[in-house]
């Protein structure tokens, strides 16, 4: 990391607000094309892979899906190999998983889909380590943005920052201005861009919220002595009729990170005995059977802010140039679907490609008119994930005002049938995984081969109460019942 100071500088300068994964990816996308990148982070980063207040969701399970892996590897070449060396676990999907979807247990077969599983603390730390190696990137910790600085016309020319000062009554120092040729807001769900825009005479964006009132509880376990299994991961999805879910993920150092969730207002217990008992009441007992004799390695942590929230910046007719919003600040999703990291990486690549096309590298400037068109391209990244998380949560009682629109009702009927057929039809399951990994647009499940299978209906599909499938080509395993 190079400390380039706060004074005058030569060449182009970009400022990224927010140092979680969306901000780290945005800084990496900018670094080859501008002369200086300043990443502003409110926290102080830990030296080791440890939890920090600015990423509360890091205490819960994370799956790095296919699009997220591809994006991170493009932004940080060689990173995936480093993550494996650090202990993150490859889980082939569905071969290495016991996967219970709304339509039943999915048969296990060889496929191209791989989930990279590990703690969020380790992932963030590894990405930060790579970003610090870039000589033109400055990281300002314990610093936060308090506003945008308007330039001439509809342009942003910088940000107002303040640094932590424990001697001050407010805990923060006097705000100051930092000039920039481009400002990126990656501050997450708590983004204040709407207020900042109003303060400068712009409109705030419309918002769409779908809230299934989902709450999580998570605990890390040491597997029970002598544990052996032909699976690495267990994923039990919820349904509106049975609104509880659970996931067991392998993480570094031969541990399990287990999360359970209740929807519709139910809150999983935050103590060990209640946590394990809650797992017994999921749609299957297979996760409970795995953890009932496992050793908890820490506290049970809860999380309740899981609404799907979109801020429609792409709809604003007036927009300040040289300013962009991405990551959870644009579209935040129910973490159950594991798509936030992938969308952040995809959005950063949208920014990088625009800079590549603009020819900004080596010119010492950021071209005018760059950011306005990017709003719609970033919205398309959000669209793909929203089709899954937002539309799926919309089917839960109370998730949205009023009855479901006709399009949503028709979509639900098709999806319900799709999830039944996918349990035994590998082509349909593959299309479903392409969509959930964000490797293909949602329309992939409407392609002729898939559409014909879904309209024909399930053949010998399992039901949610039958035993989970064995390994690819194997037999079914008995499911114990208490």
């Amino acid at each position: 990391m190079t400390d380039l100071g706060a004074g005058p500088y030569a060449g182009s300068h970009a400022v990224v607000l927010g140092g979680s994964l969306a901000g780290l990816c945005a800084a990496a996308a900018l670094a080859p094309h501008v002369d200086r990148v300043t990443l502003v982070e409110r926290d102080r980063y830990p030296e080791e892979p440890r939890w920090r207040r600015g990423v509360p969701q890091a205490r819960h399970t994370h799956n790095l899906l296919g699009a997220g892996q591809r994006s991170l590897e493009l932004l940080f070449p060689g990173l995936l190999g480093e993550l494996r060396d650090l202990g993150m676990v490859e889980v082939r999907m569905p071969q290495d998983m016991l996967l219970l979807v709304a339509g039943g247990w999915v048969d296990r077969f060889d496929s191209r889909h791989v989930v990279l599983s590990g703690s969020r603390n380790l992932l963030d730390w590894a990405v930060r380590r790579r970003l610090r190696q870039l000589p033109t990137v400055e990281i300002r910790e314990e610093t936060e943005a308090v506003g945008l600085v308007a330039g001439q016309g509809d342009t942003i020319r910088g940000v107002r920052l303040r640094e932590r000062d424990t001697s001050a009554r407010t805990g923060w120092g006097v705000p100051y201005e930092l000039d920039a040729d481009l400002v990126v807001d990656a501050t997450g769900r708590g983004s204040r861009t709407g207020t900042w825009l109003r303060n400068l005479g712009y409109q705030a964006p419309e918002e769409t919220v779908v809230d299934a009132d989902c709450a999580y509880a998570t605990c890390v376990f040491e597997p029970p002595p002598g544990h052996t299994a032909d699976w690495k991961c267990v994923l039990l999805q919820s349904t509106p009729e049975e609104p509880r879910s659970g996931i067991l993920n392998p993480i570094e150092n031969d541990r399990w990170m287990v999360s359970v969730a209740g929807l519709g207002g139910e809150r999983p217990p935050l103590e060990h005995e209640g946590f394990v008992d809650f797992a017994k009441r999921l749609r299957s007992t297979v996760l409970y059977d795995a953890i009932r004799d496992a050793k908890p390695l820490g506290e049970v942590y809860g999380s309740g802010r899981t609404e799907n929230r979109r801020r429609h910046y792409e709809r604003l007719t007036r927009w300040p140039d040289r300013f962009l919003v991405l990551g959870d600040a644009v579209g935040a999703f129910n973490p159950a679907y594991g798509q936030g990291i992938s969308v952040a990486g995809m959005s950063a690549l949208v920014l990088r490609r625009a800079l590549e096309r603009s020819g900004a590298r080596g010119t010492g400037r950021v071209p005018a008119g760059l950011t306005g068109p990017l709003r719609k391209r970033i919205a398309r990244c959000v669209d793909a994930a929203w089709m899954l998380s937002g539309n799926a949560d919309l089917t839960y009682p109370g998730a949205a005002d009023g009855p479901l629109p006709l399009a949503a009702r028709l979509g639900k009927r098709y999806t319900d049938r799709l999830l039944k057929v996918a349990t035994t039809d590998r082509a349909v399951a593959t299309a479903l995984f392409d969509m959930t990994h964000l490797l293909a647009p949602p329309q992939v499940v409407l392609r002729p081969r898939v559409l014909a299978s879904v309209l024909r209906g399930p053949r010998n599909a399992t039901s949610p109460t039958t035993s989970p499938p064995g390994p690819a080509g194997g037999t079914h395993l008995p499911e114990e019942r208490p």
Side-chain angles (χ1 to χ4, degrees), residues 288-319:
Y288 163 77
D289 294 335
I291 67 171
R292 61 184 176 183
D293 296 321
K295 178 183 177 181
L297 298 178
E299 298 179 42
V300 179
Y301 294 101
S303 175
R305 188 172 184 188
T306 58
E307 80 278 5
N308 303 278
R309 183 180 297 273
R310 290 195 68 168
R311 297 179 172 112
H312 295 281
Y313 291 106
E314 77 282 2
R315 296 179 182 174
L316 295 177
T317 56
R318 181 173 171 237
W319 183 255

Side-chain angles (χ1 to χ4, degrees), residues 75-155:
L75 292 165
F76 303 96
L79 177 65
L80 295 184
E82 293 179 13
L83 293 174
R84 297 185 191 97
D85 292 342
L86 289 168
M88 292 190 73
V89 182
E90 281 192 347
V91 179
R92 298 169 296 178
M93 183 178 187
Q95 184 175 351
D96 295 333
M97 302 179 70
L98 300 182
L99 174 57
L100 180 61
V101 299
W105 291 102
V106 176
D107 280 348
R108 296 163 67 185
F109 62 93
D110 295 337
S111 84
R112 60 179 176 270
H113 302 95
V114 174
V115 172
L116 201 56
S117 177
S119 72
R120 176 66 183 269
N121 295 337
L122 179 65
L123 176 60
D124 282 17
W125 176 82
V127 174
R128 287 198 304 270
R129 186 175 67 170
R130 289 294 300 273
L131 190 69
R132 289 183 185 274
Q133 296 171 5
L134 301 179
T136 58
V137 175
E138 173 200 2
I139 300 178
R140 295 194 184 185
E141 301 172 50
E142 297 190 302
T143 304
E144 71 168 0
V146 294
L148 301 171
V149 180
Q152 294 183 348
D154 285 334
T155 303

Side-chain angles (χ1 to χ4, degrees), residues 240-241 391 395 404 407-417:
E241 296 73 31
N391 287 358
T395 63
L404 283 179
R409 295 198 302 271
L410 293 175
K412 181 180 184 303
R413 290 181 60 183
Y414 184 81
T415 300
D416 289 347
R417 197 173 180 92

Side-chain angles (χ1 to χ4, degrees), residues 148-168:
L148 301 171
V149 180
Q152 294 183 348
D154 285 334
T155 303
I156 297 301
R157 66 168 181 85
V159 290
R160 297 180 71 240
L161 305 175
R162 63 181 183 179
E163 298 176 356
R164 193 174 297 281
D165 181 355
T166 56
S167 67

Side-chain angles (χ1 to χ4, degrees), residues 1 16-25 27 38-55 76 120-121 123-132 137-143 164 186:
M1 180 184 68
V16 178
L17 308 177
S20 190
L21 278 173
L24 299 172
C25 289
T38 301
L39 179 69
V40 176
E41 169 52 43
R42 197 173 191 268
D43 284 351
R44 176 167 290 281
Y45 287 131
E47 294 297 326
E48 302 296 330
R50 293 178 182 169
W51 181 83
R52 66 184 181 90
R53 187 180 300 275
V55 192
F76 303 96
R120 176 66 183 269
N121 295 337
L123 176 60
D124 282 17
W125 176 82
V127 174
R128 287 198 304 270
R129 186 175 67 170
R130 289 294 300 273
L131 190 69
R132 289 183 185 274
V137 175
E138 173 200 2
I139 300 178
R140 295 194 184 185
E141 301 172 50
E142 297 190 302
T143 304
R164 193 174 297 281

Side-chain angles (χ1 to χ4, degrees), residues 2-16 27 30-39 135-138 140 178-182 364 366:
T2 302
D3 186 353
L4 298 174
Y9 58 88
S12 53
H13 180 213
V15 174
V16 178
L30 288 161
H33 301 282
V34 298
D35 298 297
R36 177 190 181 203
V37 179
T38 301
L39 179 69
T136 58
V137 175
E138 173 200 2
R140 295 194 184 185
L178 180 65
D179 290 340
D181 302 290
L182 177 64
V366 174

Side-chain angles (χ1 to χ4, degrees), residues 346-473:
M346 293 163 61
S347 299
L349 289 177
V350 166
L351 174 59
R352 190 178 81 168
R353 292 178 187 124
L355 287 164
E356 289 171 347
R357 289 192 296 269
S358 74
R361 185 196 295 252
T363 65
R365 62 181 183 86
V366 174
L370 180 76
T371 58
L374 293 187
R375 291 176 293 152
K376 290 187 177 180
R377 297 175 196 168
I378 289 173
R380 285 196 287 270
C381 295
V382 176
D383 286 342
W386 191 268
M387 287 288 292
L388 297 171
S389 59
N391 287 358
D393 280 3
L394 196 63
T395 63
Y396 287 84
D401 295 332
L404 283 179
L406 176 61
R409 295 198 302 271
L410 293 175
K412 181 180 184 303
R413 290 181 60 183
Y414 184 81
T415 300
D416 289 347
R417 197 173 180 92
L418 172 79
L419 291 173
K420 290 179 181 178
V421 174
T423 60
T424 56
D425 188 311
R426 295 186 179 185
V428 174
T430 297
L432 176 65
F433 298 148
D434 281 343
M435 180 177 67
T436 56
H437 279 255
L438 302 180
L439 296 172
Q443 292 78 12
V444 68
V445 297
L446 297 174
R447 289 176 180 169
R449 163 69 176 85
V450 177
L451 182 62
S453 295
V454 173
L455 294 178
R456 186 168 55 244
R459 293 177 294 177
N460 301 319
T462 64
S463 74
T465 58
T466 58
S467 302

